[in-house]
Amino acid sequence: MPKVNFRSNIIWAPLARKTVRFLITSGVPLVAAYVHGFGNWILYLILGALLGFVGDAGGSPLLRLGFMAIGPLSVGLGALIGTLCLVWQAPWVFFCIAILTGMVYALVENRHGHMVMGPRFIGYGLVFGYSVTQINALDALLLVLALIWAWIVSLLWDVVMHEKRPFSVPSLRHSILSGYLHAPMRWRLAVSTGISVGLALLTTAFTGNKHAYWTMLTMLIVLHYNIRESALQITRRITGTLIGVFFVIFLVSLHATPLQLLLASLLVTILRWPAFAVHSGLGTACITAFVLLLAEMSIPADVNPMPVLIDRLLATFIGCAFSLFTLEIDFFLRYVIGLFEIFKQRLKRGKNQT
């Protein structure tokens, strides 16, 4: 009789259940969208379900819905701001908001998973609303309906599994207060991130890239608070982002049909959580591919997707490069602050001697 690795079963059984629930949550709306006929609205429909799943913290039904709503509402808010900036032809307003979003992200990153979802997915919404597909009333409605679908699946899953998942995250109010109290300790990273986001957007725009703001999406995936201690993790995330981009470019180069794009989306949906368990770079590749496939399925049939993907690939490279450049800016600011402290000490000694 073969020997069973119980340790492996303990790890992979919950992962398999999570994968199935994720597939139901995001796959059913995706299949429904394919049956109806893909349109620009698919991006917001699927993101509502996906982010609702990611924000699921368990607990009572209403508490669970509140935390699940953080991601979708952040995307909707960001998309609304991005759409208004496009309609009002205010690129510099968008530019300033993008920098501010990057700075807020640096202040809260690694504090609380749901705190990070706010600025991160506001940034996603900014990119989608400004340079992918503008949000309208139907998109907002689908975003809410997808969130409700993810909530219903979450509740029914507990019933089917004969369990009630307890509330599994720290207090959001306490984390916000803690983040506010410790914000001065992170101001240097926030300034570095703001400078990097601004320079990345300008650099990509100056290349003539029509999807320059994709750099921001990349940076909100790659940047982390412990950037100096996690260079390997950053490299893995960069590698995963590029793998995801190349995968979608390969599919488009083969002139994949909408059905094939759908099947590819379902495939990366199934692989996402197991891929993260194996290697964080592979998990990032699945996330990147999924988002890009959604964007491709939202493009009208008469538009050639390859130039769009090439623009996004270039923007991804620039975003990854400037994510690493954030480290250099952080080191420079630390050096300047060190010189300033030395100057203050010498000035103080001079006053004491006189």
Side-chain angles (χ1 to χ4, degrees):
M1 185 173 181
K3 187 176 181 180
V4 179
N5 188 341
F6 290 102
R7 183 182 298 272
S8 177
N9 287 344
I10 292 174
I11 294 174
W12 289 101
L15 189 62
R17 291 195 294 268
K18 188 175 185 179
T19 299
V20 172
R21 185 163 61 90
F22 183 66
L23 180 62
I24 295 172
T25 303
S26 59
V28 170
L30 192 59
V31 173
Y34 171 76
V35 173
H36 183 274
F38 289 146
N40 293 342
W41 44 267
I42 187 177
L43 192 62
Y44 297 105
L45 173 69
I46 305 305
L47 281 176
L50 188 153
L51 297 181
F53 177 92
V54 173
D56 188 354
S60 64
L62 290 180
L63 181 65
R64 185 177 305 195
L65 178 61
F67 275 79
M68 292 176 72
I70 292 176
L73 293 182
S74 297
V75 166
L77 176 61
L80 177 61
I81 296 173
T83 299
L84 292 177
C85 288
L86 181 65
V87 172
W88 293 342
Q89 297 183 352
W92 288 105
V93 174
F94 180 93
F95 180 76
C96 293
I97 294 176
I99 292 176
L100 179 62
T101 301
M103 295 179 69
V104 174
Y105 169 79
L107 288 174
V108 303
E109 202 282 323
N110 202 34
R111 291 292 187 196
H112 189 294
H114 289 79
M115 283 179 64
V116 176
M117 290 180 74
R120 172 175 283 171
F121 293 114
I122 285 176
Y124 273 50
L126 283 170
V127 173
F128 296 146
Y130 192 84
S131 64
V132 180
T133 176
Q134 290 69 57
I135 193 170
N136 54 38
L138 175 61
D139 297 328
L141 176 61
L142 291 175
L143 197 64
V144 173
L145 291 177
L147 167 63
I148 294 175
W149 162 252
W151 179 58
I152 292 174
V153 171
S154 176
L155 296 177
L156 290 178
W157 185 264
D158 285 1
V159 174
V160 172
M161 300 302 297
H162 303 289
E163 64 178 7
K164 183 178 180 181
R165 283 175 291 128
F167 186 63
S168 58
V169 297
S171 168
L172 187 58
R173 182 173 58 183
H174 175 75
S175 297
I176 292 174
L177 178 61
S178 176
Y180 173 77
L181 294 176
H182 293 90
M185 300 172 59
R186 292 195 178 213
W187 74 266
R188 193 179 65 222
L189 179 64
V191 172
S192 302
T193 302
I195 293 172
S196 292
V197 169
L199 291 176
L201 292 175
L202 289 175
T203 300
T204 316
F206 289 157
T207 64
N209 194 314
K210 296 181 180 179
H211 297 82
Y213 300 104
W214 206 263
T215 56
M216 181 181 176
L217 189 152
T218 300
M219 295 180 74
L220 290 177
I221 294 175
V222 172
L223 280 173
H224 290 277
Y225 174 64
N226 295 321
I227 191 169
R228 293 179 299 276
E229 294 83 7
S230 59
L232 178 60
Q233 182 69 10
I234 293 171
T235 303
R236 288 177 175 178
R237 286 182 175 269
I238 292 173
T239 302
T241 301
L242 296 180
I243 290 174
V245 173
F246 280 122
F247 172 71
V248 178
I249 286 181
F250 175 73
L251 287 179
V252 172
S253 68
L254 295 178
H255 305 288
T257 65
L259 177 59
Q260 290 170 334
L261 293 177
L262 169 67
L263 294 176
S265 300
L266 294 176
L267 175 62
V268 296
T269 297
I270 295 172
L271 293 178
R272 175 182 174 174
W273 299 111
F276 261 118
V278 174
H279 193 284
S280 60
L282 295 177
T284 303
C286 291
I287 294 175
T288 303
F290 188 78
V291 173
L292 285 173
L293 285 168
L294 288 180
E296 292 311 307
M297 287 185 284
S298 68
I299 295 176
D302 58 343
V303 176
N304 183 6
M306 188 57 73
V308 177
L309 276 174
I310 292 174
D311 281 352
R312 289 174 182 158
L313 178 61
L314 176 60
T316 299
F317 273 112
I318 295 175
C320 291
F322 274 96
S323 296
L324 294 177
F325 184 60
T326 304
L327 175 62
E328 298 301 325
I329 299 176
D330 187 64
F331 283 152
F332 175 75
L333 291 178
R334 183 193 299 180
Y335 176 72
V336 172
I337 293 171
L339 290 179
F340 182 69
E341 291 296 329
I342 293 174
F343 174 75
K344 285 200 307 182
Q345 292 175 4
R346 289 181 178 177
L347 186 62
K348 186 176 181 180
R349 286 198 210 103
K351 289 181 179 181
N352 292 335
Q353 291 176 356
T354 56

